Amino acid sequence: MTSEEIKNNVEKALDEIRPFLQSDGGDITLISIDNDSSVKVRLEGNCIGCSVNQMTLKSGVEMTIKKYAPQIEEVINVS
């Protein structure tokens, strides 16, 4: 998979997740993809102060991204 295909697949994954985050007043933005294996995102809105945002990041966001782009090894939230 090319870097562009990986980026497109990560964006598709975020598009799948976004409605769930937005329904709680949050959102997510793709910041970067490093070495085609590490995704940096920024949780926004209500997601910033949410007590379960790390669980959302690992269980929801990372799992969905890996479904679309299996070579992704980690998803990191940057503030």
Side-chain angles (χ1 to χ4, degrees):
M1 203 179 284
T2 68
S3 294
E4 188 62 29
E5 289 171 323
I6 292 169
K7 182 178 186 291
N8 288 339
N9 284 352
V10 169
E11 289 285 4
K12 286 179 193 174
L14 295 181
D15 287 342
E16 182 178 313
I17 298 160
R18 196 165 275 120
F20 299 103
L21 298 176
Q22 290 173 340
S23 70
D24 287 329
D27 208 343
I28 190 165
T29 301
L30 175 63
I31 302 301
S32 67
I33 302 172
D34 302 326
N35 301 318
D36 292 340
S37 65
S38 178
V39 174
K40 291 182 182 169
V41 297
R42 178 177 296 124
L43 291 171
E44 300 173 343
N46 286 344
C47 291
I48 294 170
C50 178
S51 62
V52 295
N53 71 6
Q54 285 306 308
M55 188 173 68
T56 298
L57 188 68
K58 292 296 176 190
S59 299
V61 176
E62 189 170 286
M63 187 175 69
T64 304
I65 287 174
K66 286 180 176 181
K67 179 174 76 174
Y68 283 86
Q71 66 274 41
I72 297 301
E73 295 171 9
E74 65 178 346
V75 178
I76 302 165
N77 180 43
V78 296
S79 44

PDB file of all heavy atoms in Angstrom, residues 16-44:
ATOM      1  N   GLU A  16     -15.595   7.348   9.462  1.00  0.00           N
ATOM      2  CA  GLU A  16     -16.508   6.390  10.104  1.00  0.00           C
ATOM      3  C   GLU A  16     -16.682   6.711  11.596  1.00  0.00           C
ATOM      4  O   GLU A  16     -17.773   6.562  12.157  1.00  0.00           O
ATOM      5  CB  GLU A  16     -15.961   4.970   9.931  1.00  0.00           C
ATOM      6  CG  GLU A  16     -16.856   3.898  10.528  1.00  0.00           C
ATOM      7  CD  GLU A  16     -16.317   2.499  10.293  1.00  0.00           C
ATOM      8  OE1 GLU A  16     -15.930   2.172   9.143  1.00  0.00           O
ATOM      9  OE2 GLU A  16     -16.289   1.722  11.260  1.00  0.00           O
ATOM     10  N   ILE A  17     -15.624   7.148  12.232  1.00  0.00           N
ATOM     11  CA  ILE A  17     -15.632   7.430  13.669  1.00  0.00           C
ATOM     12  C   ILE A  17     -16.255   8.783  13.989  1.00  0.00           C
ATOM     13  O   ILE A  17     -16.927   8.946  15.009  1.00  0.00           O
ATOM     14  CB  ILE A  17     -14.176   7.416  14.202  1.00  0.00           C
ATOM     15  CG1 ILE A  17     -13.562   6.046  14.018  1.00  0.00           C
ATOM     16  CG2 ILE A  17     -14.104   7.862  15.645  1.00  0.00           C
ATOM     17  CD1 ILE A  17     -12.056   6.054  14.061  1.00  0.00           C
ATOM     18  N   ARG A  18     -16.016   9.758  13.116  1.00  0.00           N
ATOM     19  CA  ARG A  18     -16.383  11.155  13.380  1.00  0.00           C
ATOM     20  C   ARG A  18     -17.829  11.358  13.845  1.00  0.00           C
ATOM     21  O   ARG A  18     -18.053  12.093  14.812  1.00  0.00           O
ATOM     22  CB  ARG A  18     -16.079  11.982  12.133  1.00  0.00           C
ATOM     23  CG  ARG A  18     -16.040  13.463  12.395  1.00  0.00           C
ATOM     24  CD  ARG A  18     -15.391  14.215  11.247  1.00  0.00           C
ATOM     25  NE  ARG A  18     -13.939  14.207  11.411  1.00  0.00           N
ATOM     26  CZ  ARG A  18     -13.093  13.691  10.523  1.00  0.00           C
ATOM     27  NH1 ARG A  18     -13.512  13.154   9.417  1.00  0.00           N
ATOM     28  NH2 ARG A  18     -11.799  13.731  10.753  1.00  0.00           N
ATOM     29  N   PRO A  19     -18.840  10.718  13.230  1.00  0.00           N
ATOM     30  CA  PRO A  19     -20.222  10.958  13.689  1.00  0.00           C
ATOM     31  C   PRO A  19     -20.446  10.589  15.153  1.00  0.00           C
ATOM     32  O   PRO A  19     -21.210  11.267  15.854  1.00  0.00           O
ATOM     33  CB  PRO A  19     -21.070  10.073  12.770  1.00  0.00           C
ATOM     34  CG  PRO A  19     -20.235   9.877  11.554  1.00  0.00           C
ATOM     35  CD  PRO A  19     -18.809   9.887  12.027  1.00  0.00           C
ATOM     36  N   PHE A  20     -19.770   9.552  15.632  1.00  0.00           N
ATOM     37  CA  PHE A  20     -19.914   9.148  17.033  1.00  0.00           C
ATOM     38  C   PHE A  20     -19.308  10.208  17.960  1.00  0.00           C
ATOM     39  O   PHE A  20     -19.882  10.550  18.991  1.00  0.00           O
ATOM     40  CB  PHE A  20     -19.258   7.787  17.284  1.00  0.00           C
ATOM     41  CG  PHE A  20     -19.863   6.686  16.476  1.00  0.00           C
ATOM     42  CD1 PHE A  20     -19.222   6.193  15.353  1.00  0.00           C
ATOM     43  CD2 PHE A  20     -21.096   6.146  16.815  1.00  0.00           C
ATOM     44  CE1 PHE A  20     -19.781   5.173  14.594  1.00  0.00           C
ATOM     45  CE2 PHE A  20     -21.667   5.126  16.074  1.00  0.00           C
ATOM     46  CZ  PHE A  20     -21.011   4.645  14.948  1.00  0.00           C
ATOM     47  N   LEU A  21     -18.147  10.729  17.574  1.00  0.00           N
ATOM     48  CA  LEU A  21     -17.508  11.769  18.375  1.00  0.00           C
ATOM     49  C   LEU A  21     -18.323  13.055  18.350  1.00  0.00           C
ATOM     50  O   LEU A  21     -18.512  13.705  19.371  1.00  0.00           O
ATOM     51  CB  LEU A  21     -16.082  12.027  17.871  1.00  0.00           C
ATOM     52  CG  LEU A  21     -15.107  10.854  17.942  1.00  0.00           C
ATOM     53  CD1 LEU A  21     -13.780  11.240  17.316  1.00  0.00           C
ATOM     54  CD2 LEU A  21     -14.920  10.393  19.367  1.00  0.00           C
ATOM     55  N   GLN A  22     -18.834  13.402  17.161  1.00  0.00           N
ATOM     56  CA  GLN A  22     -19.605  14.636  17.026  1.00  0.00           C
ATOM     57  C   GLN A  22     -20.920  14.571  17.787  1.00  0.00           C
ATOM     58  O   GLN A  22     -21.401  15.593  18.280  1.00  0.00           O
ATOM     59  CB  GLN A  22     -19.844  14.946  15.542  1.00  0.00           C
ATOM     60  CG  GLN A  22     -18.568  15.362  14.836  1.00  0.00           C
ATOM     61  CD  GLN A  22     -18.724  15.506  13.335  1.00  0.00           C
ATOM     62  OE1 GLN A  22     -19.646  14.972  12.732  1.00  0.00           O
ATOM     63  NE2 GLN A  22     -17.802  16.231  12.720  1.00  0.00           N
ATOM     64  N   SER A  23     -21.471  13.387  17.928  1.00  0.00           N
ATOM     65  CA  SER A  23     -22.732  13.265  18.669  1.00  0.00           C
ATOM     66  C   SER A  23     -22.537  13.594  20.155  1.00  0.00           C
ATOM     67  O   SER A  23     -23.501  13.929  20.848  1.00  0.00           O
ATOM     68  CB  SER A  23     -23.325  11.858  18.511  1.00  0.00           C
ATOM     69  OG  SER A  23     -22.544  10.899  19.209  1.00  0.00           O
ATOM     70  N   ASP A  24     -21.293  13.524  20.627  1.00  0.00           N
ATOM     71  CA  ASP A  24     -20.976  13.884  22.006  1.00  0.00           C
ATOM     72  C   ASP A  24     -20.291  15.250  22.087  1.00  0.00           C
ATOM     73  O   ASP A  24     -19.713  15.592  23.121  1.00  0.00           O
ATOM     74  CB  ASP A  24     -20.072  12.823  22.642  1.00  0.00           C
ATOM     75  CG  ASP A  24     -20.818  11.539  22.947  1.00  0.00           C
ATOM     76  OD1 ASP A  24     -22.023  11.610  23.232  1.00  0.00           O
ATOM     77  OD2 ASP A  24     -20.199  10.459  22.895  1.00  0.00           O
ATOM     78  N   GLY A  25     -20.310  15.998  20.991  1.00  0.00           N
ATOM     79  CA  GLY A  25     -19.715  17.331  20.990  1.00  0.00           C
ATOM     80  C   GLY A  25     -18.222  17.351  20.752  1.00  0.00           C
ATOM     81  O   GLY A  25     -17.552  18.339  21.028  1.00  0.00           O
ATOM     82  N   GLY A  26     -17.683  16.266  20.217  1.00  0.00           N
ATOM     83  CA  GLY A  26     -16.245  16.194  19.952  1.00  0.00           C
ATOM     84  C   GLY A  26     -15.953  16.061  18.470  1.00  0.00           C
ATOM     85  O   GLY A  26     -16.852  16.136  17.631  1.00  0.00           O
ATOM     86  N   ASP A  27     -14.704  15.884  18.157  1.00  0.00           N
ATOM     87  CA  ASP A  27     -14.283  15.665  16.773  1.00  0.00           C
ATOM     88  C   ASP A  27     -12.849  15.137  16.801  1.00  0.00           C
ATOM     89  O   ASP A  27     -12.235  15.022  17.854  1.00  0.00           O
ATOM     90  CB  ASP A  27     -14.357  16.953  15.961  1.00  0.00           C
ATOM     91  CG  ASP A  27     -14.596  16.694  14.468  1.00  0.00           C
ATOM     92  OD1 ASP A  27     -14.388  15.541  14.014  1.00  0.00           O
ATOM     93  OD2 ASP A  27     -14.996  17.626  13.755  1.00  0.00           O
ATOM     94  N   ILE A  28     -12.338  14.820  15.617  1.00  0.00           N
ATOM     95  CA  ILE A  28     -10.972  14.313  15.497  1.00  0.00           C
ATOM     96  C   ILE A  28     -10.379  14.813  14.191  1.00  0.00           C
ATOM     97  O   ILE A  28     -11.072  14.912  13.180  1.00  0.00           O
ATOM     98  CB  ILE A  28     -10.953  12.763  15.563  1.00  0.00           C
ATOM     99  CG1 ILE A  28      -9.538  12.236  15.697  1.00  0.00           C
ATOM    100  CG2 ILE A  28     -11.676  12.149  14.374  1.00  0.00           C
ATOM    101  CD1 ILE A  28      -9.460  10.779  16.114  1.00  0.00           C
ATOM    102  N   THR A  29      -9.093  15.163  14.235  1.00  0.00           N
ATOM    103  CA  THR A  29      -8.384  15.656  13.067  1.00  0.00           C
ATOM    104  C   THR A  29      -7.109  14.848  12.879  1.00  0.00           C
ATOM    105  O   THR A  29      -6.389  14.606  13.848  1.00  0.00           O
ATOM    106  CB  THR A  29      -8.014  17.145  13.238  1.00  0.00           C
ATOM    107  OG1 THR A  29      -9.214  17.891  13.424  1.00  0.00           O
ATOM    108  CG2 THR A  29      -7.274  17.685  12.028  1.00  0.00           C
ATOM    109  N   LEU A  30      -6.828  14.463  11.642  1.00  0.00           N
ATOM    110  CA  LEU A  30      -5.571  13.781  11.327  1.00  0.00           C
ATOM    111  C   LEU A  30      -4.452  14.819  11.293  1.00  0.00           C
ATOM    112  O   LEU A  30      -4.553  15.819  10.583  1.00  0.00           O
ATOM    113  CB  LEU A  30      -5.678  13.074   9.971  1.00  0.00           C
ATOM    114  CG  LEU A  30      -4.409  12.405   9.450  1.00  0.00           C
ATOM    115  CD1 LEU A  30      -3.958  11.289  10.382  1.00  0.00           C
ATOM    116  CD2 LEU A  30      -4.629  11.870   8.046  1.00  0.00           C
ATOM    117  N   ILE A  31      -3.402  14.583  12.059  1.00  0.00           N
ATOM    118  CA  ILE A  31      -2.252  15.486  12.090  1.00  0.00           C
ATOM    119  C   ILE A  31      -1.164  14.981  11.141  1.00  0.00           C
ATOM    120  O   ILE A  31      -0.678  15.715  10.295  1.00  0.00           O
ATOM    121  CB  ILE A  31      -1.680  15.626  13.523  1.00  0.00           C
ATOM    122  CG1 ILE A  31      -2.757  16.126  14.484  1.00  0.00           C
ATOM    123  CG2 ILE A  31      -0.456  16.534  13.541  1.00  0.00           C
ATOM    124  CD1 ILE A  31      -3.380  17.455  14.137  1.00  0.00           C
ATOM    125  N   SER A  32      -0.788  13.713  11.279  1.00  0.00           N
ATOM    126  CA  SER A  32       0.259  13.166  10.411  1.00  0.00           C
ATOM    127  C   SER A  32       0.263  11.652  10.468  1.00  0.00           C
ATOM    128  O   SER A  32      -0.328  11.043  11.354  1.00  0.00           O
ATOM    129  CB  SER A  32       1.642  13.693  10.831  1.00  0.00           C
ATOM    130  OG  SER A  32       1.997  13.194  12.097  1.00  0.00           O
ATOM    131  N   ILE A  33       0.934  11.071   9.482  1.00  0.00           N
ATOM    132  CA  ILE A  33       1.213   9.637   9.467  1.00  0.00           C
ATOM    133  C   ILE A  33       2.725   9.515   9.283  1.00  0.00           C
ATOM    134  O   ILE A  33       3.270   9.980   8.283  1.00  0.00           O
ATOM    135  CB  ILE A  33       0.468   8.913   8.327  1.00  0.00           C
ATOM    136  CG1 ILE A  33      -1.042   9.126   8.462  1.00  0.00           C
ATOM    137  CG2 ILE A  33       0.823   7.428   8.324  1.00  0.00           C
ATOM    138  CD1 ILE A  33      -1.847   8.611   7.285  1.00  0.00           C
ATOM    139  N   ASP A  34       3.386   8.937  10.269  1.00  0.00           N
ATOM    140  CA  ASP A  34       4.838   8.840  10.255  1.00  0.00           C
ATOM    141  C   ASP A  34       5.278   7.420   9.911  1.00  0.00           C
ATOM    142  O   ASP A  34       4.794   6.457  10.506  1.00  0.00           O
ATOM    143  CB  ASP A  34       5.411   9.246  11.616  1.00  0.00           C
ATOM    144  CG  ASP A  34       5.004  10.663  12.006  1.00  0.00           C
ATOM    145  OD1 ASP A  34       4.878  11.514  11.108  1.00  0.00           O
ATOM    146  OD2 ASP A  34       4.805  10.907  13.214  1.00  0.00           O
ATOM    147  N   ASN A  35       6.188   7.309   8.967  1.00  0.00           N
ATOM    148  CA  ASN A  35       6.762   6.020   8.554  1.00  0.00           C
ATOM    149  C   ASN A  35       5.699   4.997   8.157  1.00  0.00           C
ATOM    150  O   ASN A  35       5.906   3.794   8.297  1.00  0.00           O
ATOM    151  CB  ASN A  35       7.634   5.437   9.673  1.00  0.00           C
ATOM    152  CG  ASN A  35       8.761   6.361  10.052  1.00  0.00           C
ATOM    153  OD1 ASN A  35       9.397   6.962   9.193  1.00  0.00           O
ATOM    154  ND2 ASN A  35       8.996   6.494  11.339  1.00  0.00           N
ATOM    155  N   ASP A  36       4.553   5.474   7.685  1.00  0.00           N
ATOM    156  CA  ASP A  36       3.436   4.600   7.282  1.00  0.00           C
ATOM    157  C   ASP A  36       3.023   3.630   8.384  1.00  0.00           C
ATOM    158  O   ASP A  36       2.451   2.577   8.115  1.00  0.00           O
ATOM    159  CB  ASP A  36       3.779   3.807   6.009  1.00  0.00           C
ATOM    160  CG  ASP A  36       3.893   4.706   4.783  1.00  0.00           C
ATOM    161  OD1 ASP A  36       3.354   5.826   4.807  1.00  0.00           O
ATOM    162  OD2 ASP A  36       4.509   4.279   3.796  1.00  0.00           O
ATOM    163  N   SER A  37       3.311   3.973   9.657  1.00  0.00           N
ATOM    164  CA  SER A  37       2.961   3.045  10.732  1.00  0.00           C
ATOM    165  C   SER A  37       2.416   3.729  11.987  1.00  0.00           C
ATOM    166  O   SER A  37       1.807   3.069  12.814  1.00  0.00           O
ATOM    167  CB  SER A  37       4.170   2.195  11.111  1.00  0.00           C
ATOM    168  OG  SER A  37       5.191   3.012  11.656  1.00  0.00           O
ATOM    169  N   SER A  38       2.638   5.021  12.125  1.00  0.00           N
ATOM    170  CA  SER A  38       2.214   5.743  13.324  1.00  0.00           C
ATOM    171  C   SER A  38       1.331   6.919  12.927  1.00  0.00           C
ATOM    172  O   SER A  38       1.754   7.778  12.155  1.00  0.00           O
ATOM    173  CB  SER A  38       3.449   6.240  14.085  1.00  0.00           C
ATOM    174  OG  SER A  38       3.059   6.980  15.212  1.00  0.00           O
ATOM    175  N   VAL A  39       0.113   6.938  13.454  1.00  0.00           N
ATOM    176  CA  VAL A  39      -0.846   7.989  13.123  1.00  0.00           C
ATOM    177  C   VAL A  39      -0.956   8.946  14.299  1.00  0.00           C
ATOM    178  O   VAL A  39      -1.134   8.519  15.444  1.00  0.00           O
ATOM    179  CB  VAL A  39      -2.237   7.392  12.808  1.00  0.00           C
ATOM    180  CG1 VAL A  39      -3.269   8.481  12.602  1.00  0.00           C
ATOM    181  CG2 VAL A  39      -2.162   6.490  11.580  1.00  0.00           C
ATOM    182  N   LYS A  40      -0.846  10.236  14.014  1.00  0.00           N
ATOM    183  CA  LYS A  40      -1.054  11.261  15.032  1.00  0.00           C
ATOM    184  C   LYS A  40      -2.361  11.973  14.723  1.00  0.00           C
ATOM    185  O   LYS A  40      -2.584  12.403  13.586  1.00  0.00           O
ATOM    186  CB  LYS A  40       0.105  12.252  15.058  1.00  0.00           C
ATOM    187  CG  LYS A  40       1.379  11.632  15.579  1.00  0.00           C
ATOM    188  CD  LYS A  40       2.502  12.630  15.658  1.00  0.00           C
ATOM    189  CE  LYS A  40       3.762  11.931  16.152  1.00  0.00           C
ATOM    190  NZ  LYS A  40       4.938  12.774  16.010  1.00  0.00           N
ATOM    191  N   VAL A  41      -3.218  12.038  15.743  1.00  0.00           N
ATOM    192  CA  VAL A  41      -4.513  12.697  15.612  1.00  0.00           C
ATOM    193  C   VAL A  41      -4.662  13.700  16.745  1.00  0.00           C
ATOM    194  O   VAL A  41      -3.927  13.674  17.726  1.00  0.00           O
ATOM    195  CB  VAL A  41      -5.686  11.688  15.662  1.00  0.00           C
ATOM    196  CG1 VAL A  41      -5.630  10.722  14.497  1.00  0.00           C
ATOM    197  CG2 VAL A  41      -5.712  10.936  16.983  1.00  0.00           C
ATOM    198  N   ARG A  42      -5.637  14.602  16.579  1.00  0.00           N
ATOM    199  CA  ARG A  42      -5.967  15.528  17.660  1.00  0.00           C
ATOM    200  C   ARG A  42      -7.445  15.370  17.970  1.00  0.00           C
ATOM    201  O   ARG A  42      -8.292  15.586  17.105  1.00  0.00           O
ATOM    202  CB  ARG A  42      -5.678  16.968  17.257  1.00  0.00           C
ATOM    203  CG  ARG A  42      -6.066  17.975  18.357  1.00  0.00           C
ATOM    204  CD  ARG A  42      -5.732  19.412  18.007  1.00  0.00           C
ATOM    205  NE  ARG A  42      -4.278  19.546  17.871  1.00  0.00           N
ATOM    206  CZ  ARG A  42      -3.673  20.013  16.764  1.00  0.00           C
ATOM    207  NH1 ARG A  42      -4.378  20.375  15.724  1.00  0.00           N
ATOM    208  NH2 ARG A  42      -2.373  20.109  16.723  1.00  0.00           N
ATOM    209  N   LEU A  43      -7.740  14.962  19.206  1.00  0.00           N
ATOM    210  CA  LEU A  43      -9.119  14.935  19.666  1.00  0.00           C
ATOM    211  C   LEU A  43      -9.510  16.368  19.987  1.00  0.00           C
ATOM    212  O   LEU A  43      -8.727  17.125  20.555  1.00  0.00           O
ATOM    213  CB  LEU A  43      -9.256  14.041  20.897  1.00  0.00           C
ATOM    214  CG  LEU A  43      -9.052  12.548  20.635  1.00  0.00           C
ATOM    215  CD1 LEU A  43      -9.002  11.784  21.950  1.00  0.00           C
ATOM    216  CD2 LEU A  43     -10.152  11.987  19.752  1.00  0.00           C
ATOM    217  N   GLU A  44     -10.744  16.745  19.616  1.00  0.00           N
ATOM    218  CA  GLU A  44     -11.173  18.128  19.757  1.00  0.00           C
ATOM    219  C   GLU A  44     -12.522  18.218  20.454  1.00  0.00           C
ATOM    220  O   GLU A  44     -13.202  17.211  20.649  1.00  0.00           O
ATOM    221  CB  GLU A  44     -11.264  18.773  18.368  1.00  0.00           C
ATOM    222  CG  GLU A  44      -9.938  18.761  17.629  1.00  0.00           C
ATOM    223  CD  GLU A  44     -10.026  19.227  16.197  1.00  0.00           C
ATOM    224  OE1 GLU A  44     -11.131  19.275  15.640  1.00  0.00           O
ATOM    225  OE2 GLU A  44      -8.971  19.551  15.629  1.00  0.00           O
TER     226      GLU A  44
END
